[in-house]
Amino acid sequence: MFITVLERSLSLAQHNIGTLLRTGWAYILLLVALNFAIGGTLMPESGFTTVSYMTEPVAAADEGALRALAAVANLLVGFSIAIAYVRRILIDARDFPLTFGGRTVRVILNQIVLTLIGLLSLVPLAIVALLLAAVTAGAGLLLFVLAPFIALMVVQRFSVILPAAALDDPLTLRESWRATSGLGWAMAFSALIMSLLAGFLVFVWMLLLGISDGIVPASALWQQIRSAIFPMGTMLILVWAFASLHATFYGLIRDRFAARLGLRPADYTQAEDHRTAARARARRAVDGVRRLRRRNADRP
């Protein structure tokens, strides 16, 4: 199932680069203007020593605060691009080029909730790892290493609330967890690969901008432009990777969108088989616990 999810996510992303640009062009211009203005404010007289103001060493506390605000602003615009992108793919929505409203707020709040879930899920894992380490250091160390990936799996099983919120689908966390039963590890592995891919593309983007001085005549204006388009490109790469991934997840639990995402009937049937098997295992585990409790209760 992991290969299917990853293959469909990559295929969706590959075939919808133009869709991303068409739906996000106004936000892209906004990102460039925003980062150009902030970069001009933070640009030292000697110019930037790195590709962007976002990668420069922090020289003063007020610079760090302004950079943090810039990061938040970039994220807000990035969420707006992701919403427009997912809505165009799944329901062919043609919203106003710049939109920020209750839908965007819901998606952002859901992302905050998912982040908290991921962080909080690390707490019991760390406690169990410490207890195991007291008995056998090897098992404790292994759990420490696996803990972030387990937390990632938990977050991904809840993550379909993001595309659902973009489509005004009132999907709850409980419904998301139940709908993704049997798909958790495939979703987690796919998210890990897409994260590595996004990180690699951001690195390539930074590398290309870094060697641009040898192609474009050096000037203060080019430094400001380069500084502005680096966070813009980074945000587009992240949106392109993760919005495509989560749209694929959503299509696997909402069959009416499967065809629009390029999912074949066999893919959806396979996902349903995984969910059915996982639910059957969960029922057997619950029944086993109940039988054990009844036997313990019947003992004198």
Side-chain angles (χ1 to χ4, degrees):
M1 193 64 206
F2 155 63
I3 299 298
T4 299
V5 174
L6 181 60
E7 180 186 358
R8 295 294 171 257
S9 300
L10 290 172
S11 177
L12 180 67
Q14 178 185 353
H15 290 92
N16 284 280
I17 296 176
T19 303
L20 176 66
L21 298 177
R22 286 194 300 271
T23 57
W25 65 267
Y27 297 106
I28 293 172
L29 294 178
L30 179 60
L31 276 176
V32 173
L34 171 70
N35 288 294
F36 187 87
I38 297 175
T41 302
L42 295 177
M43 184 174 179
E45 294 183 1
S46 58
F48 294 122
T49 59
T50 58
V51 297
S52 172
Y53 75 92
M54 294 294 286
T55 58
E56 284 285 295
V58 178
D62 56 344
E63 289 186 10
L66 182 58
R67 198 177 303 180
L69 289 175
V72 171
N74 276 271
L75 287 173
L76 291 177
V77 178
F79 276 113
S80 298
I81 299 174
I83 292 170
Y85 174 64
V86 169
R87 287 174 60 80
R88 175 66 68 89
I89 290 175
L90 293 177
I91 61 175
D92 199 28
R94 300 179 183 274
D95 302 321
F96 190 74
L98 287 173
T99 304
F100 188 91
R103 184 182 297 122
T104 309
V105 173
R106 286 194 297 272
V107 172
I108 293 173
L109 290 177
N110 284 343
Q111 181 60 66
I112 293 174
V113 170
L114 290 176
T115 303
L116 292 176
I117 289 174
L119 294 175
L120 291 176
S121 62
L122 289 173
V123 175
L125 291 172
I127 294 174
V128 173
L130 288 173
L131 293 176
L132 282 176
V135 179
T136 169
L141 179 61
L142 178 61
L143 184 57
F144 265 121
V145 173
L146 294 178
F149 184 74
I150 296 173
L152 176 65
M153 183 273 292
V154 172
V155 170
Q156 294 310 308
R157 287 196 58 181
F158 287 121
S159 67
V160 288
I161 63 174
L162 295 176
L167 300 180
D168 302 318
D169 178 359
L171 186 73
T172 65
L173 288 170
R174 173 181 287 185
E175 291 169 342
S176 175
W177 182 264
R178 294 186 61 184
T180 56
S181 60
L183 303 176
W185 295 116
M187 295 170 73
F189 276 110
S190 299
L192 179 61
I193 297 301
M194 292 297 275
S195 298
L196 295 174
L197 174 62
F200 173 74
L201 292 176
V202 170
F203 172 76
V204 172
W205 178 237
M206 178 186 292
L207 187 63
L208 290 174
L209 292 177
I211 64 177
S212 64
D213 287 339
I215 303 173
V216 180
S219 66
L221 177 60
W222 170 244
Q223 284 205 359
Q224 283 187 259
I225 294 174
R226 185 185 64 186
S227 174
I229 63 177
F230 171 70
M232 177 274 295
T234 298
M235 192 55 58
L236 283 180
I237 290 171
L238 295 177
V239 168
W240 172 76
F242 291 107
S244 299
L245 180 71
H246 290 130
T248 302
F249 292 166
Y250 189 70
L252 288 172
I253 69 166
R254 292 286 194 257
D255 59 329
R256 64 182 182 273
F257 296 118
R260 293 192 63 91
L261 294 171
L263 293 170
R264 298 172 300 194
D267 299 330
Y268 186 77
T269 301
Q270 184 182 7
E272 184 61 34
D273 291 342
H274 278 268
R275 287 196 291 266
T276 301
R279 289 166 184 166
R281 288 194 298 270
R283 283 195 297 268
R284 288 196 297 269
V286 171
D287 291 341
V289 171
R290 288 175 178 171
R291 287 194 297 270
L292 181 61
R293 288 179 176 176
R294 284 196 295 268
R295 284 198 297 267
N296 291 336
D298 292 339
R299 291 178 181 176

